[in-house]
């Protein structure tokens, strides 16, 4: 079934910021690199094209690496893997210089980079664009793809969707992919493989991230035997647009709420924020805001599309007109206008949206996983670095640093090693498994399966997690795995760009990721950062440990790894556990 | 209206499957009026015909646009995640700049050679070459390869080489990121569109 076997020194799976950085770095050291990507590198679902509100780097005193680490660990509620935090953030200033060298237009003043202060930063530490009003997102897409395109020793394989890792004697020896353009299976033999596939935000229908981020890396790593960590922590963006539909998932409403104080209403017209937060009322913190909206929806008082109403009608007409005039080029405000929504009169609907995940491979400071030959970086290279909550603007410096470290590391190793042998039988078996849905005449569709999974995740995994809901969701998930997964059928048999088949392959990864995150959430009997249990509302010092997951036959094995504190000691009075 | 009370509208799609079709054909589907053209296509995929093929990436939340979903929408190039379904019907065709893989999925690695379908851009993009500092940013940033560099009096300047491919107001990346603000975009009236 395998149509082609390719060979390379280094295989990088995923062309986001982390993958591109790693591929470029490895190639600079002279080895051959293959970068495969679901979609077209630079025109795909990499999260970095949308990022840009923050890039933290401690550049100038009084700020320092120590303070940056401390802020990160405090933000992470002391659950961070401090060694990784320290070693990766140490490279943040160098990465800024590299990005600037590549052509990023960072704002500068008096010979220094301009930095602003985002929540959780002791000193202003977030980089800005030259145009203070512009986000950095566009700059990343300008400079990053260029690092890998038209380079002699980098082969970019667009539309090569990797479905599984290939192993031989506990060593990863490459990967198996489907070329979406012709549905042919390709084996890539590699001395070293770097996993950089991002997160699993698509487990939630409502997400600010790309629907293409379906936890493929988490799924394939887990199936290959990689130790996974942090799967229970999922970050939600407090206020994304739900309605009008044309702005669905847009995160501008959060900025809008910063600029204009809106008032929240539920479906019975009650200003419900006052009930939850008598003091802050409609201007509570982001987490508080999203939790209140979530409760209203859960208790049946949500807006028609599953959020809360936000209204600006109370504001004086000239005030709001001035604002509208200022925002006349803003794409969000324009889209509202085109949809016939006038914020002077109408409310919009908003709600919390999945934004970032902490779940991925357990790695060491060289980004190595427990499987020899496999490195993991970026969002899928979790390693417990983000702890229980992530500071805005820390993801990108982590991605850059990890890409650099892994790229250098594998290039050095690959120069000496021989290309490993592939177990062709294993590869054939994996092909057959992937083909099964195509061979079935009828059964459950991938679309339905994904929707069900998203429903389960939304019901049990957003806020107010508790044993009852989690167990219920898990038993349904187990049923789906046992009864439905075996009936997954793809009715479209086309061999060219078969989206339905792609979604079926994604659904398998989503099942694995969902199960890992639900089980970890059930196991962690405390509330900390992003993980809030209504039945265990307090943080507990005995839970200052990572939950690690490994595959054992058809089961998941759970172990824990205590957190160590080489740089920042937890605040003992509060049990080191400020919620 | 459909069963769940949504207002429906017609989406015509230029379909082409190289495995079976001799030439492209239009097919019509009823999809919800609310939402984007890309949302309509996803609806077709899930409810009418799972053999439909198209590309998506960021699905357009926030400011950034990946460009994966570029196509012709009622003859005008645009990012389909950013364009609302039109009440009196919407027709989509592949973006003519690149070779078609299947239906609306184009191959960004291969530009069309030979005669191309004419488009009806909804905007005109222009560069003030006095202001242009020749940094190439717009060339690198443009998802549709609209811009090219040329030499004017021995200085490198950007020029709009392929205005017919520009995704206009759904994109505006180059306008937003040109350092000296040398790129301008103005709306054009297009027949058959509001
Ligand atoms: C809206 C938004 C705003 C954000 N803003 C910020 C910010 O301001 N500051 C900050 O620090 N962080 C921010 N983040 C987080 C940050 O952008 C991401 O964590 C980071 O970009 C992840 O990079 P990555 O390289 O790990 O993965 P990604 O960028 O997600 O890239 C993964 C790549 O892998 C590919 N891929 C996936 N599966 C497969 C497969 N099976 N086979 C082949 N290829 C595959 C995908 O197509 C994709 O190109 C934001 C995130 C979002 C969603
Ligand atoms: S981005 Fe602006 S200044 Fe730079 S080349 Fe393009 S038009 Fe000229
Ligand atoms: S707006 Fe600019 S960047 Fe976007 S397609 Fe048109 S020319 Fe390219
Ligand atoms: S999907 Fe990225 S611009 Fe439409």
């Amino acid at each position: 079934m395998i149509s082609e076997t390719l060979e390379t020194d280094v295989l990088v799976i995923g062309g986001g910021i982390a993958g591109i950085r790693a591929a470029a770095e490895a190639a600079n050291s002279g080895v051959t690199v293959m970068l495969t990507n679901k979609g077209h590198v630079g025109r795909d679902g990499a999260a970095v094209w949308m990022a840009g509100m923050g890039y933290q780097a401690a550049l100038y005193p009084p700020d320092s690496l120590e303070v940056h680490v401390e802020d990160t660990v405090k933000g992470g509620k002391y659950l961070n893997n401090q060694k990784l935090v320290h070693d990766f953030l140490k490279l943040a200033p160098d990465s800024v210089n590299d990005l600037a060298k590549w052509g990023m237009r960072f704002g500068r003043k008096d010979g220094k980079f301009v930095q602003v202060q985002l929540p959780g930063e002791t000193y202003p530490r977030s980089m800005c664009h030259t145009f203070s009003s512009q986000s950095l997102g566009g700059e990343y897409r300008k400079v990053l793809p260029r690092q890998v395109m038209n380079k002699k020793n980098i082969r970019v394989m667009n539309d090569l969707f990797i479905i599984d890792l290939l192993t031989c004697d506990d060593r990863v020896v490459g990967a198996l992919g489907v070329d979406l353009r012709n549905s042919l299976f390709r084996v890539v033999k590699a001395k070293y493989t770097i996993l950089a596939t991002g997160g699993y935000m698509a487990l939630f229908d409502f997400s600010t991230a790309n629907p293409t981020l379906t936890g493929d890396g988490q799924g394939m790593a887990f199936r290959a035997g990689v130790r996974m960590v942090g799967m229970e922590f999922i970050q939600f963006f407090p206020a994304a647009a739900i309605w009008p539909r044309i702005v669905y998932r847009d995160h501008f409403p959060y900025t809008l709420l910063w600029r204009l104080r809106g008032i929240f209403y539920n479906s019975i017209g009650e200003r419900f924020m006052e009930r939850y937060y008598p003091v802050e009322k409609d201007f509570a913190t982001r987490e508080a805001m999203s939790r209140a909206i979530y409760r209203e929806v859960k208790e049946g008082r949500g807006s028609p599309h599953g959020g809360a109403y936000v209204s600006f009608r109370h504001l004086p007409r000239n005030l709001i007109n001035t604002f509208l005039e200022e925002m006349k080029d803003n794409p969000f405000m324009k889209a509202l206008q085109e949809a016939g929504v006038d914020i002077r009169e109408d409310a919009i609907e908003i709600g919390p949206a999945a934004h970032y995940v902490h779940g991925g491979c357990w790695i060491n400071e060289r980004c190595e996983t427990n499987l020899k030959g496999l490195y993991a970086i970026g969002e899928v290279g979790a390693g417990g670095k983000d702890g229980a909550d992530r500071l805005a603007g820390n993801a990108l410096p982590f991605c850059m640093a990890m890409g650099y470290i892994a790229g250098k590391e594998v290039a050095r190793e690959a120069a000496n090693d021989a290309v490993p042998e592939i177990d062709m039988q294993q590869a054939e078996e994996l092909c057959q498994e992937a083909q099964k849905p195509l061979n079935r005449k009828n059964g459950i569709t991938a679309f339905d399966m994904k929707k069900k999974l998203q429903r389960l995740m939304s019901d049990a995994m957003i806020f107010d997690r508790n044993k009852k809901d989690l167990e219920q969701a898990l038993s349904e998930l187990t049923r789906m795995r046992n009864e439905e997964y075996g009936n997954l059928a793809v009715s479209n048999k086309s061999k060219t760009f078969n989206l339905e088949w792609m979604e079926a392959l994604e659904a398998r990864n989503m099942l694995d990721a969902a199960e890992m995150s639900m089980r970890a959430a059930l196991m962690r009997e405390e509330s900390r950062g992003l993980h809030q249990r209504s039945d265990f509302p307090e943080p507990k010092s005995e839970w200052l440990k990572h939950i690690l997951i490994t595959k054992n036959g058809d089961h998941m094995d759970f172990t824990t790894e205590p957190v160590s504190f080489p740089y920042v000691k937890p605040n003992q009075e509060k049990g080191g556990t400020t919620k | 209206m459909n069963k769940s009370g949504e207002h429906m509208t017609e989406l015509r799609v230029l379909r082409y499957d190289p495995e079976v079709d001799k030439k492209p054909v239009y097919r019509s589907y009823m999809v919800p009026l609310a939402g984007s053209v890309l949302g309509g296509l996803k609806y077709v995929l899930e409810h009418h015909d799972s053999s439909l093929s198209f590309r998506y990436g960021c699905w357009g939340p926030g400011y950034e646009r990946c460009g994966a979903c570029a196509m012709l929408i009622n003859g005008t190039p645009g990012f389909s995640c950013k364009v609302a379904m039109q009440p009196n019907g919407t027709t989509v065709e592949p973006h003519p700049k690149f070779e078609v893989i299947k239906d609306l999925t184009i191959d960004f690695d291969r530009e069309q050679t030979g005669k191309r379908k004419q488009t009806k851009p909804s905007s005109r993009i222009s560069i003030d070459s006095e202001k242009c500092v020749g940094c190439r940013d717009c060339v690198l940033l443009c998802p549709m390869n609209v811009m090219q560099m040329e030499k004017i009096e021995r200085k490198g300047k950007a020029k709009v080489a392929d205005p017919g491919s520009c995704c206009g107001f759904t994109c505006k990346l180059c306008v937003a990121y040109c350092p000296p603000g040398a790129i301008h975009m103005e709306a054009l009236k297009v027949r058959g569109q509001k």
Side-chain angles (χ1 to χ4, degrees):
Chain A
M1 229 179 273
I2 288 154
S3 72
E4 195 180 0
T5 305
L6 305 157
E7 247 183 61
T8 178
D9 290 335
V10 176
L11 166 66
V12 181
I13 308 173
I17 179 169
I20 288 179
R21 171 73 158 169
E25 203 50 54
N28 280 344
S29 315
V31 296
T32 57
V33 178
M34 189 175 291
L35 175 67
T36 78
N37 196 46
K38 179 160 94 174
H40 187 276
V41 174
R43 293 182 180 95
D44 68 333
V48 71
W49 316 143
M50 300 183 310
M53 301 309 287
Y55 187 107
Q56 289 199 39
L59 296 178
Y60 312 111
D63 202 1
S64 65
L65 174 61
E66 285 65 39
V67 185
H68 193 176
V69 171
E70 189 174 336
D71 286 352
T72 304
V73 170
K74 281 188 179 153
K77 317 297 175 209
Y78 299 94
L79 199 68
N80 309 63
N81 182 336
Q82 296 193 8
K83 174 91 177 105
L84 299 189
V85 171
H86 177 270
D87 287 13
F88 296 163
L89 290 182
K90 192 165 85 183
L91 296 176
D94 288 349
S95 303
V96 166
N97 289 330
D98 285 345
L99 285 169
K101 200 173 70 199
W102 290 352
M104 285 277 287
R105 295 190 185 276
F106 291 120
R108 289 176 213 240
K109 206 176 160 203
D110 307 330
K112 283 181 166 182
F113 289 112
V114 179
Q115 292 179 296
V116 295
Q117 195 165 10
L118 292 185
E121 298 172 6
T122 303
Y123 303 108
R125 193 183 292 137
S126 284
M127 310 299 294
C128 301
H129 192 267
T130 337
F131 305 153
S132 55
S133 62
Q134 197 54 260
S135 88
L136 284 167
E139 294 290 314
Y140 293 111
R141 54 174 297 156
K142 190 181 79 193
V143 305
L144 288 173
R146 202 162 32 135
Q147 306 309 316
V148 291
M149 300 293 185
N150 309 321
K151 291 267 163 78
K152 203 168 71 262
N153 49 346
I154 305 184
R155 181 157 173 206
V156 177
M157 306 281 283
N158 293 318
D159 298 332
L160 183 60
F161 176 11
I162 301 294
I163 54 176
D164 265 307
L165 296 169
L166 298 173
T167 51
C168 207
D169 306 328
D170 281 339
R171 190 194 156 91
V172 172
V173 292
L176 172 71
V178 176
D179 188 336
L180 295 173
R181 298 177 187 193
N182 48 25
S183 296
L184 294 177
F185 287 106
R186 300 227 147 101
V187 160
V188 184
K189 250 189 198 186
K191 294 179 188 170
Y192 287 91
T193 303
I194 301 179
L195 197 56
T197 50
Y200 44 91
M201 287 72 83
L203 273 177
F204 297 85
D205 166 47
F206 193 48
S207 155
T208 59
N210 329 290
T212 54
L213 295 175
T214 47
D216 298 347
Q218 284 80 358
M220 65 179 102
F222 168 73
R223 288 193 297 273
V226 176
R227 210 173 288 142
M228 308 299 286
V229 67
M231 295 298 292
E232 66 274 37
F233 295 103
I234 297 160
Q235 190 177 47
F236 285 84
F237 192 83
I242 302 181
W243 196 264
R245 199 73 184 181
I246 188 72
V247 289
Y248 191 60
R249 309 184 321 135
D250 199 317
H251 47 79
F252 189 73
Y254 184 62
T255 317
L256 185 63
L257 284 169
W258 260 103
R259 288 295 320 277
L260 291 182
R261 299 291 182 266
I263 294 181
F264 290 81
Y265 293 98
N266 59 19
S267 62
I268 55 170
E270 180 201 4
R271 290 182 61 170
F272 63 92
M273 284 291 178
E274 297 182 350
R275 182 157 33 85
Y276 294 89
Y277 313 108
V279 182
E280 301 91 342
K281 295 199 173 112
D282 295 289
F283 200 60
T285 65
R286 21 201 287 178
E287 282 68 30
M289 194 155 90
S290 17
R291 198 164 312 144
I293 299 174
Y294 179 76
R295 289 228 171 111
E296 289 302 297
V297 175
K298 215 162 185 188
E299 287 165 18
R301 291 184 299 273
S303 62
H305 305 93
Y309 292 103
V310 172
S311 161
F312 301 93
R313 200 166 163 221
H314 58 288
L315 297 171
R317 194 165 263 267
N318 47 351
L319 185 157
I320 203 162
N321 283 347
T322 310
F323 174 81
L324 288 176
E325 179 56 29
E326 189 189 319
M327 288 281 153
K328 68 178 189 306
D329 275 339
N330 177 286
F332 178 81
M333 300 309 285
K334 263 209 168 113
L336 282 189
Q337 201 187 0
E338 278 164 22
V341 173
D342 181 352
I343 63 163
R344 288 171 295 203
E345 293 292 333
D346 312 307
I348 54 174
E349 290 178 43
I350 65 165
H355 187 59
Y356 179 86
V357 300
H358 294 199
C361 307
W362 180 246
I363 51 165
N364 64 15
E365 64 278 9
R366 291 186 302 277
C367 302
E368 272 175 304
T369 67
N370 57 311
L371 292 190
K372 196 151 171 26
L374 182 70
Y375 289 65
I377 56 175
E379 228 164 302
V380 67
K385 65 185 184 305
D386 292 306
D389 200 352
R390 162 184 85 101
L391 295 188
N394 251 354
L396 298 175
F398 276 139
C399 285
M400 280 292 284
M402 297 168 89
Y404 176 81
I405 294 173
K408 269 248 167 329
E409 195 73 26
V410 295
R412 206 188 54 228
E413 301 276 334
N416 313 320
D417 289 7
V419 179
E421 276 314 304
I422 296 272
D423 177 352
M424 279 319 252
Q425 195 187 335
Q426 180 196 37
E428 285 290 346
E429 277 165 21
L430 291 170
C431 289
Q432 258 148 27
E433 180 62 31
Q435 280 249 317
K436 277 185 187 160
L438 271 176
N439 300 338
R440 291 192 190 104
K441 280 229 165 52
N442 39 35
I444 180 168
T445 68
F447 313 126
D448 284 345
M449 188 145 197
K450 276 191 172 182
K451 290 223 168 75
K452 275 193 189 169
L453 274 174
Q454 290 170 339
R455 188 73 269 138
L456 286 182
M457 289 297 280
S458 302
D459 285 348
M461 287 292 288
I462 304 190
F463 293 104
D464 297 336
R465 296 173 176 178
N466 60 73
K467 186 157 188 260
K468 188 169 143 270
D469 288 357
L470 285 167
E471 280 180 343
Q472 210 174 334
L474 266 167
S475 86
E476 178 57 19
L477 188 91
T478 314
R479 194 193 64 73
M480 281 171 72
R481 199 187 265 290
N482 296 339
E483 294 170 21
E484 293 183 357
Y485 178 67
N487 284 321
L488 194 60
V490 173
S491 62
N492 170 22
K493 313 290 180 200
S494 165
K495 291 215 174 340
T496 343
F497 231 87
N498 187 335
L499 287 182
E500 193 187 2
W501 186 31
M502 183 179 96
E503 293 214 20
L505 296 170
E506 289 174 345
R508 174 166 66 147
N509 296 321
M510 288 166 75
L511 260 178
D512 287 337
E515 182 166 348
M516 284 189 270
S517 58
M518 283 184 194
R519 289 202 189 279
L522 183 63
M523 181 167 170
R524 185 173 285 283
E525 295 189 331
E526 64 156 355
S527 288
R528 184 186 300 272
L530 302 171
H531 172 73
Q532 294 291 328
R533 288 276 301 253
S534 53
D535 44 358
F536 297 96
E538 294 300 321
K540 293 184 187 153
S541 44
E542 66 265 29
W543 266 109
L544 278 170
K545 50 192 181 190
H546 304 287
I547 296 180
L548 301 181
I549 311 174
T550 29
K551 186 171 152 68
N552 178 2
D554 283 342
H555 292 277
M556 292 181 179
D557 273 354
F558 288 78
T559 50
T560 56
E561 174 79 24
V563 178
S564 59
F565 309 98
Y567 300 98
V568 190
K569 301 270 177 290
N571 172 348
Q572 285 306 329
E573 285 127 73
K574 289 191 196 158
T577 49
T578 21
K579 261 214 281 189
Chain B
M1 272 193 220
N2 71 354
K3 272 180 274 164
S4 42
E6 285 172 301
H7 284 279
M8 304 299 273
T9 179
E10 188 188 358
L11 179 59
R12 286 176 79 222
V13 185
L14 187 60
R15 301 287 310 264
Y16 174 64
D17 180 351
E19 288 173 57
V20 288
D21 297 330
K22 285 217 178 62
K23 62 180 195 353
V25 282
Y26 289 96
R27 298 235 167 79
S28 280
Y29 308 93
M30 292 308 281
V31 304
L33 175 59
S36 63
V37 172
L38 187 59
L41 290 168
K42 183 83 169 135
Y43 187 92
V44 175
L45 181 76
E46 293 183 4
H47 296 91
H48 295 303
D49 186 348
S50 63
S51 71
L52 180 66
S53 184
F54 52 94
R55 274 185 197 274
Y56 56 87
C58 65
W59 208 292
Y63 282 91
E64 305 315 334
R65 295 107 219 275
C66 68
C69 66
M71 57 187 72
L72 286 187
I73 303 158
N74 288 342
T76 300
F79 298 157
S80 53
C81 67
K82 299 281 177 196
V83 181
M85 289 292 305
Q86 308 287 310
N88 37 15
T90 310
T91 300
V92 289
E93 296 156 3
H95 194 290
K97 173 109 186 178
F98 301 95
E99 296 282 348
V100 174
I101 295 178
K102 184 184 175 191
D103 299 335
L104 303 163
T105 302
I106 48 180
D107 185 346
F108 286 112
D109 290 335
R110 282 186 304 150
E111 287 193 12
Q112 287 263 20
T113 49
K115 209 162 161 276
R116 277 211 252 144
K117 189 179 162 68
Q118 285 301 303
T119 60
K120 297 185 279 184
S122 59
S123 56
R124 181 186 296 124
I125 186 140
S126 57
I127 299 176
D128 182 343
S129 59
E130 294 278 290
K131 275 198 192 168
C132 171
V133 295
C135 66
R136 269 185 91 219
D137 279 13
C138 54
V139 178
L140 294 169
L141 202 50
C142 176
M144 306 320 293
N145 305 352
V146 169
M147 304 298 197
Q148 263 173 25
M149 296 306 285
E150 62 174 355
K151 278 237 156 32
I152 299 181
E153 290 164 10
R154 315 239 304 286
K155 286 206 190 85
K157 299 276 179 186
K159 74 164 178 198
V160 184
D162 182 10
S165 290
C166 174
C167 287
F169 286 95
T170 62
C171 174
K172 266 189 110 176
L173 274 168
C174 59
V175 179
Y177 286 94
C178 168
I183 309 179
H184 296 282
M185 190 183 282
E186 63 179 305
L188 295 174
K189 280 254 176 305
V190 182
R191 247 185 312 139
Q193 257 193 343
K194 276 198 294 179

